[in-house]
Amino acid sequence: DTGSAAAVPIDDVDIAYVTPVTIGTPPQTLQLDFDTGSSDLWVFSSHTPASQVRGQEIYSPNKSSTAKLLEGHTWSITYGDGSASRGNVYVDNFTVGGLSVAQQAVQTAQQVSSSFTSETNIDGLLGLGFSTLNTVSPKSQLTFFDNAKASLDSPVFTVDLKAQAAGTYDFGFIDKAKYTGEITYVPVNTNPGYWTFTSSGYAVGSGSFSSQSITGIADTGTSLVYLPTAIVTAYYRQVSGATNSRNYGGYVFPCSSALPTFTFGVGDARFTIPSSYISYSPIAPGSSTCFGGLQSSSGLGINIWGDVALKAAFVVFNGANPPTIGWAKK
Ligand SMILES: COc1ccc(CN)cc1O
């Protein structure tokens, strides 16, 4: 089997991407944020208080003839940005881009935090991290990818995110039309459950490449890139008027400032993030102060290669044993 579905930016700065999925019988279509940085599949539902729903599509298990409550199971998750959700669990038919799983655990939200309520274009998350991170209790559940893996032509999914355009999530195959040159594969550390790999270094603009190991996670569910402070300060030293603002919670700069590109290494390969991806967004609509797409990871305890970096590459998440991650130009 294989599957292929669109990854559509939800706003004009690519803060997140959503992908259509269908759940149950007859099929209910929701738009989910596919997140390689977590492993819960949760949805806005008929169990979500109306006060917390602001236009999101909901999954109603009682309207699905194939839904079954997973008795006595609950879940609760908190994300790196402080957002959170919790609820109960059903199993039901689940399809992504033509690829179906019969008894997928679908976690129905009974409570979502305000940032999810205000994210009106996201109807839930589909975790593509390792199933060890799943929060369902007393028995943790498998991700869609883990459930589908055995039936896939190849145990992989690929991520092709684009700036202000629809990209794709492919399952079970590697589409040669989506990348150029070779794919560089590097090892993945599955502890504690992220797609953790080690980058071989970085360069700021046309500067020299600094060979150093940067261990971090490939995270489709995070908008920006978060790297060690030394690297980030070296970058913004090249941006006139840049400051690390406590007020705005990170590096900001005059939107008119020229930004260098940022290059990162994967093995011998080099990937360059265009300046336009790093001039992420005005701090408020119409402001002449811009927030950077590259920020310090010092407060996170982990380096994150989020959408700003993933947009610059075609990435293969290889779920073989042992798992690896592959990066190619496009
Ligand atoms: C509030 O919105 C989100 C919070 C957390 C994640 C997962 N990194 C994805 C989101 O779209």
Side-chain angles (χ1 to χ4, degrees):
D1 279 1
T2 63
S4 185
V8 181
I10 64 166
D11 67 4
D12 58 357
V13 297
D14 303 335
I15 195 169
Y17 296 79
V18 288
T19 298
V21 306
T22 62
I23 316 172
T25 313
Q28 300 178 42
T29 300
L30 276 70
Q31 310 294 328
L32 303 187
D33 180 356
F34 283 26
D35 180 13
T36 57
S38 67
S39 306
D40 282 37
L41 194 172
W42 72 263
V43 293
F44 277 74
S45 74
S46 48
H47 299 289
T48 313
S51 62
Q52 296 177 15
V53 183
R54 193 172 302 158
Q56 289 85 354
E57 293 298 318
I58 64 167
Y59 166 59
S60 302
N62 58 4
K63 292 182 180 164
S64 169
S65 60
T66 41
K68 279 178 285 192
L69 177 69
L70 209 50
E71 286 276 350
H73 285 67
T74 58
W75 61 281
S76 176
I77 193 165
T78 301
Y79 296 99
D81 67 351
S83 59
S85 51
R86 61 179 167 81
N88 42 23
V89 189
Y90 288 78
V91 290
D92 206 344
N93 296 347
F94 197 93
T95 300
V96 177
L99 173 65
S100 292
V101 165
Q103 301 285 297
Q104 174 65 44
V106 180
Q107 299 168 218
T108 44
Q110 293 176 298
Q111 166 78 35
V112 301
S113 63
S114 58
S115 54
F116 281 117
T117 297
S118 50
E119 201 71 270
T120 57
N121 298 324
I122 292 178
D123 305 331
L125 266 64
L126 185 143
L128 290 170
F130 293 89
S131 293
T132 43
L133 288 178
N134 181 261
T135 74
V136 173
S137 169
K139 291 199 202 76
S140 88
Q141 301 299 305
L142 295 180
T143 65
F144 171 76
F145 178 53
D146 272 354
N147 279 323
K149 198 184 283 186
S151 62
L152 292 177
D153 293 6
S154 175
V156 303
F157 66 91
T158 68
V159 176
D160 178 17
L161 298 183
K162 295 177 188 283
Q164 289 298 280
T168 47
Y169 284 95
D170 290 338
F171 292 86
F173 71 107
I174 295 173
D175 183 349
K176 283 193 171 311
K178 293 200 169 93
Y179 67 93
T180 60
E182 297 301 311
I183 302 172
T184 301
Y185 288 94
V186 292
V188 161
N189 172 1
T190 60
N191 286 325
Y194 305 117
W195 289 87
T196 306
F197 72 100
T198 298
S199 161
S200 50
Y202 77 98
V204 175
S206 55
S208 62
F209 185 83
S210 169
S211 291
Q212 59 183 260
S213 293
I214 310 166
T215 296
I217 69 171
D219 185 359
T220 57
T222 290
S223 315
L224 309 184
V225 173
Y226 297 87
L227 295 177
T229 301
I231 295 176
V232 177
T233 45
Y235 177 84
Y236 286 108
R237 226 192 327 275
Q238 306 300 323
V239 179
S240 59
T243 59
N244 190 0
S245 158
R246 216 171 314 288
N247 181 19
Y248 296 119
Y251 281 88
V252 298
F253 46 85
C255 297
S256 55
S257 291
L259 287 182
T261 60
F262 183 83
T263 295
F264 60 97
V266 178
D268 295 336
R270 301 288 180 261
F271 298 88
T272 296
I273 302 174
S275 310
S276 59
Y277 295 7
I278 301 174
S279 178
Y280 181 65
S281 79
I283 45 108
S287 166
S288 65
T289 301
C290 276
F291 195 78
L294 174 60
Q295 295 293 342
S296 169
S297 62
S298 58
L300 304 178
I302 191 170
N303 296 312
I304 304 178
W305 303 93
D307 298 337
V308 161
L310 295 167
K311 283 190 277 195
F314 174 80
V315 188
V316 180
F317 291 75
N318 169 28
N321 195 357
T324 60
I325 187 167
W327 293 72
K329 291 181 173 46
K330 61 188 182 189

